């Protein structure tokens, strides 16, 4: 058994960092002064992690958050159009007829009346999502995310990934809360309504997924941390989670 553990520890991995933008001014698609400090802090974290490649949503607040990491690491960011924030597709008239984001619905609605037990392939039967266009948004993200990972060396095949080449890079993607949670639903095969009921994503929160380059040629992502903000603590910044809860 010890020999197997040793072999497992020697398996190299690709690490995928999924990072939400800093505190935004949505009207101008830029960062607040607080958001700029958060961007510097997460940029320092990416520098310390020795990230190899940086990708970003085309939206201004994500690019502005990525800029300090690019500067510190002397890397150019690659724009991935498919990672822009989910916009009109996330609007729903549930529960009172007024169009709101699916993120603003009280989370209990995603769990009551048997919703909690809906499997992955029936997630769109859930109240809120059934009245929105999130299904088409998720299909778009799933399709383009599959192509993105194949470029990185991992081809999706029936729930696992065929290793086309052993990638040992650290890859950072700067993006958005709704997009990130939707993609994580796909990558980790968690029903979308359960993600919305149970997982929030704060400003410059860092999620790390590991793709191990297993000797048998197949892999699947494992979540090492979710929406982590230790970089904010290390930089002496406030830990106000999504501008609402002091953690």
């Amino acid at each position: 058994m010890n020999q197997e553990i040793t072999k497992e520890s020697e398996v190299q991995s690709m690490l995928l960092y999924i990072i939400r933008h800093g505190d935004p001014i949505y009207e101008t698609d830029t960062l607040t002064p607080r958001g700029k400090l958060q961007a510097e802090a997460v940029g320092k974290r990416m520098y310390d992690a020795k990230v190899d490649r940086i990708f970003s949503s085309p939206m201004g607040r994500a690019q502005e958050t990525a800029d300090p990491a690019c500067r510190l690491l002397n890397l150019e960011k690659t724009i991935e159009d498919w990672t822009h924030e989910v916009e009109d597709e996330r609007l729903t008239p549930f529960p009172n007829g007024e169009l709101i984001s699916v993120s603003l619905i009280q989370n209990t609605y995603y769990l009551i009346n048997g919703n909690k037990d809906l499997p992955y392939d029936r997630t769109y039967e859930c109240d809120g999502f059934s009245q929105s266009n999130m299904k088409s948004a998720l299909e778009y993200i799933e399709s383009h995310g599959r192509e993105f990972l194949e470029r990185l060396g991992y081809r999706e095949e029936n729930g696992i990934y065929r290793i086309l080449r052993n990638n040992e890079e650290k890859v950072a993607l700067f993006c958005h809360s709704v997009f990130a949670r939707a993609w994580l639903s796909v990558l980790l095969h968690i029903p979308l309504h359960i993600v919305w009921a149970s997982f929030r994503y704060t400003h410059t929160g860092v999620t790390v997924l590991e793709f191990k380059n297993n000797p048998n040629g197949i892999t699947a992502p494992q979540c090492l941390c979710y929406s982590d903000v230790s970089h904010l603590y290390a930089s002496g910044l406030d830990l106000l989670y999504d501008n609402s809860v002091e953690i």
Side-chain angles (χ1 to χ4, degrees):
M1 182 175 291
N2 289 337
Q3 186 178 3
E4 291 179 359
I5 293 173
T6 300
K7 288 182 179 179
E8 175 73 8
S9 68
E10 292 173 353
V11 174
Q12 299 301 307
S13 306
M14 182 188 80
L15 295 183
L16 174 61
Y17 296 75
I18 302 174
I19 305 152
R20 187 188 178 191
H21 59 76
D23 185 37
I25 305 171
Y26 286 114
E27 294 77 10
T28 58
D29 194 20
T30 57
L31 297 182
T32 66
R34 175 171 173 262
K36 292 177 181 178
L37 292 175
Q38 293 172 336
E40 291 291 339
V42 78
K44 174 68 163 52
R45 177 171 180 173
M46 295 301 102
Y47 174 80
D48 290 340
K50 298 180 175 60
V51 163
D52 299 289
R53 302 174 70 183
I54 295 175
F55 298 89
S56 175
S57 154
M59 302 186 81
R61 56 190 182 271
Q63 292 199 54
E64 195 173 347
T65 306
D67 284 341
C70 293
R71 184 184 72 246
L72 291 169
L73 289 159
N74 195 29
L75 293 173
E76 295 290 330
K77 60 179 175 285
T78 299
I79 302 302
E80 295 287 330
D81 288 336
W82 65 281
T83 68
H84 62 74
E85 182 60 295
V86 179
E87 297 182 319
D88 290 348
E89 299 93 341
R90 65 178 168 174
L91 300 180
T92 179
F94 180 85
N96 59 11
E98 179 183 352
L99 281 177
I100 59 171
S101 168
V102 291
S103 298
L104 298 179
I105 296 173
Q106 182 175 308
N107 70 324
T108 56
Y109 284 114
Y110 295 125
L111 303 174
I112 61 175
N113 300 324
N115 288 335
K116 182 182 71 172
D117 296 320
L118 288 174
Y120 185 87
D121 60 355
R122 293 179 57 198
T123 193
Y124 301 107
E125 297 177 21
C126 186
D127 293 333
F129 287 118
S130 63
Q131 296 90 347
S132 76
N133 290 319
M134 280 297 290
K135 185 175 188 294
S136 62
L138 198 75
E139 288 172 347
Y140 175 86
I141 291 169
E142 182 175 15
S143 172
H144 287 80
R146 185 181 297 117
E147 186 273 333
F148 175 75
L149 289 171
E150 187 161 339
R151 279 189 272 139
L152 294 177
Y154 304 95
R155 177 186 295 154
E156 194 272 332
E157 296 180 357
N158 298 318
I160 56 92
Y161 291 81
R162 182 71 53 191
I163 302 171
L164 304 179
R165 61 181 177 85
N166 283 357
N167 188 339
E168 297 176 10
E169 295 178 315
K170 294 180 178 180
V171 176
L173 170 64
F174 290 82
C175 54
H176 309 269
S177 174
V178 175
F179 164 83
R181 285 185 289 165
W183 195 29
L184 286 167
S185 168
V186 172
L187 290 171
L188 302 176
H189 204 69
I190 303 172
L192 190 67
H193 65 289
I194 298 300
V195 174
W196 251 255
S198 306
F199 295 90
R200 291 170 61 182
Y201 218 118
T202 195
H203 300 123
T204 67
V206 177
T207 295
V208 184
L209 300 184
E210 180 185 34
F211 289 76
K212 284 189 175 180
N213 297 312
N214 297 312
N216 66 354
I218 59 175
T219 190
Q222 290 184 304
C223 184
L224 303 187
C225 68
Y226 176 82
S227 194
D228 178 63
V229 290
S230 56
H231 53 280
L232 300 182
Y233 180 80
S235 294
L237 301 178
D238 71 78
L239 297 181
L240 191 62
Y241 199 96
D242 206 20
N243 290 342
S244 59
V245 182
E246 182 66 51
I247 59 171

